[in-house]
Amino acid sequence: MNPDLKRLHPYPFERLRALFASAPADAGYEPISLSIGEPKHPTPAFIHVALTEALSGLAQYPSTLGSLELRGAICAWLTRRYGVAPLDPETQVLPVTGTREALFAIAQTVIDRSARQARVVCPNPFYQIYEGAALLAGAEVLYANIDPEQDDAVDYASITPAQWATVQLVYTCSPANPTGKVMTLEDWRLLFALSDRYGFVIVSDECYSEIYCDESPPLGSLEAAQRLGRTDFERLVCFTSLSKRSNVPGLRSGFVAGDRRILAQFLLYRTYHGCAMSPPVQAASAKAWADEEHVVLNRAQYRQKFAAVTPLIQSVLATKQPEAAFYLWARTPIDDEVFAQQLHAAYNVAVLPGSYLGRTSQGHNPGRGHVRLALVAPVQQCLEAAERIVRYARSI
Ligand SMILES: Cc1ncc(COP(=O)(O)O)c(C=O)c1O
């Protein structure tokens, strides 16, 4: 067996299941889950139609590169959304079967195991796939803590020049899971300068880019690169998903775009990895990227939930309206694991302890003392969950 499998950490939801199993919930309450970030709004009907109308495509093997129709729709979307100069659909974009697999696979493509030390930087707290990808690529992980003093920005200054010299890949997540923090142009300038100096690849996870308050669309990495004169997107690859934007987490559809030299190698890797997108999924995805109306309606539903829930949670826990994404990141007055366990036992509401999303680095786990609330359930359920959280927090 691959010994690196032993280096993997248990997934947060496995830990949550074990935590809840040790103190069963009061069955007098309907269960409400705010723990998993799975979109729950209905999939738009036109995507169902596009998928079924393309079922004849099941009779062909798809190419890893995907159809030109899909790549063209993605490039057109990138230009509409970010104002970037049109990307070349032949070399600067690739479809992926959900960003999860692609965020994993990119590390297998980029990491050079023959280096004396190969390191990957992850924000902390973070989406656990980054860490597993790094470990299975034979790399070590450096955890760069978010800094509440800097409005939850990632503290890259904590990494020493000697450490940077060994870094081959940096994962960024903007808008961030769990804080909703969006990287600024200044943040990108700093990271690009570090990449120029040390030669690492930046993997920018932007799967929450379309969940925001309509007045302020988050800055994207390709947009930032172009505004800073990096028109070839040197050492930058951006990952975007339909799962949250179009409420299709089961479709498994996203894309990667950016540096064509990296994408050529990624295409080679993916040809062997065998993760080409099914033709009906490609057809439905092209239609989804071409439509914005459903995305605007989707955002309106999240806005309604934040407006209803945030003030209630703020009456008992320190939290703020995030810049983007669909999470509230709230401080707990007691240990976050105990908070989540007692809340579940007393009121049958599942929230995720922040410490499960982080690792101890620089002497502490920056997720500790927080819980993540995913506002994915219908508004009435989110509201009911918030009322139960208020009752529980007042009883502590
Ligand atoms: C930060 C982050 N990145 C990527 C993903 C994966 O999304 P998908 O594989 O559905 O594109 C998730 C899923 O929850 C996520 O939270």
Side-chain angles (χ1 to χ4, degrees):
M1 285 293 156
N2 180 345
D4 286 337
L5 285 167
K6 291 211 177 68
R7 302 171 71 204
L8 297 175
H9 294 253
Y11 212 62
F13 299 106
E14 270 173 64
R15 294 177 69 186
L16 195 64
R17 263 191 297 279
L19 181 73
F20 290 168
S22 62
D26 180 344
Y29 287 96
E30 276 287 299
I32 304 180
S33 173
L34 305 184
S35 57
I36 301 189
E38 180 185 11
K40 296 275 185 224
H41 302 161
T43 300
F46 81 89
I47 298 181
H48 287 176
V49 171
L51 189 64
T52 48
E53 280 181 351
L55 287 180
S56 61
L58 293 177
Q60 299 136 29
Y61 271 122
S63 70
T64 309
L65 188 58
S67 70
L68 189 56
E69 182 206 1
L70 173 57
R71 283 176 282 126
I74 292 168
C75 290
W77 180 80
L78 280 168
T79 296
R80 278 201 314 280
R81 168 66 173 82
Y82 294 115
V84 290
L87 273 74
D88 177 2
E90 296 297 347
T91 58
Q92 290 183 301
V93 64
L94 274 180
V96 298
T97 51
T99 50
R100 181 181 179 136
E101 66 84 0
L103 289 163
F104 176 84
I106 191 72
Q108 320 313 312
T109 308
V110 165
I111 298 299
D112 174 1
R113 292 163 180 265
S114 70
R116 204 171 56 83
Q117 252 183 331
R119 286 196 169 118
V120 170
V121 174
C122 287
N124 190 26
F126 59 101
Y127 179 51
Q128 195 159 318
I129 297 302
Y130 312 152
E131 178 189 61
L135 295 175
L136 288 177
E140 299 294 330
V141 183
L142 286 174
Y143 302 98
N145 293 348
I146 58 168
D147 181 0
E149 301 296 311
Q150 299 294 323
D151 196 21
D152 291 333
V154 175
D155 181 15
Y156 291 117
S158 63
I159 297 173
T160 65
Q163 288 174 322
W164 278 123
T166 64
V167 170
Q168 297 186 10
L169 189 160
V170 171
Y171 282 104
T172 61
C173 188
S174 173
N177 173 2
T179 60
K181 171 83 181 158
V182 174
M183 286 175 70
T184 63
L185 194 62
E186 234 4 78
D187 294 332
W188 283 112
R189 192 195 304 275
L190 177 90
L191 199 58
F192 291 146
L194 287 166
S195 167
D196 288 346
R197 175 165 330 158
Y198 296 105
F200 57 77
V201 170
I202 301 170
V203 169
S204 173
D205 178 357
E206 303 179 25
C207 79
Y208 293 98
S209 66
E210 302 316 289
I211 314 295
Y212 57 87
C213 138
D214 271 330
E215 291 70 47
S216 45
L219 176 70
S221 62
L222 300 181
E223 180 186 8
Q226 208 163 83
R227 280 166 66 179
L228 295 169
R230 305 171 72 87
T231 47
D232 278 343
F233 310 119
E234 301 88 324
R235 278 172 262 104
L236 170 67
V237 275
C238 143
F239 290 67
T240 306
S241 174
L242 281 179
S243 300
K244 278 91 174 157
R245 173 187 181 271
S246 300
N247 294 306
V248 285
L251 190 68
R252 311 312 301 131
S253 179
F255 69 81
V256 52
D259 186 327
R260 52 167 61 87
R261 283 153 304 204
I262 298 171
L263 289 185
Q265 297 300 301
F266 198 31
L267 176 61
L268 174 65
Y269 172 86
R270 296 177 70 71
T271 308
Y272 283 85
H273 193 62
C275 43
M277 187 185 284
S278 165
V281 174
Q282 291 192 45
S285 302
K287 292 270 181 353
W289 287 116
D291 183 82
E292 282 305 321
E293 210 177 301
H294 74 285
V295 189
V296 174
L297 295 174
N298 190 33
R299 278 197 288 276
Q301 293 185 65
Y302 286 116
R303 229 184 359 261
Q304 191 193 7
K305 288 192 255 190
F306 274 112
V309 168
T310 312
L312 277 175
I313 300 296
Q314 280 172 329
S315 71
V316 287
L317 305 177
T319 190
K320 59 176 193 280
Q321 164 84 36
E323 288 176 85
F326 49 50
Y327 301 109
L328 280 175
W329 181 240
R331 276 184 194 273
T332 52
I334 56 171
D335 177 78
D336 53 296
E337 242 186 326
V338 174
F339 184 98
Q341 190 181 41
Q342 289 184 348
L343 170 68
H344 183 255
Y347 290 105
N348 217 346
V349 173
V351 299
L352 192 65
S355 54
Y356 290 10
L357 295 166
R359 299 279 176 257
T360 297
S361 172
Q362 312 280 323
H364 75 290
N365 178 339
R368 196 166 293 291
H370 292 79
V371 283
R372 191 190 75 175
L373 317 180
L375 301 191
V376 288
V379 63
Q380 279 314 323
Q381 262 190 42
C382 285
L383 208 50
E384 167 68 25
E387 281 161 5
R388 293 187 208 169
I389 292 171
V390 170
R391 258 179 279 155
Y392 164 65
R394 293 217 165 113
S395 75
I396 300 174

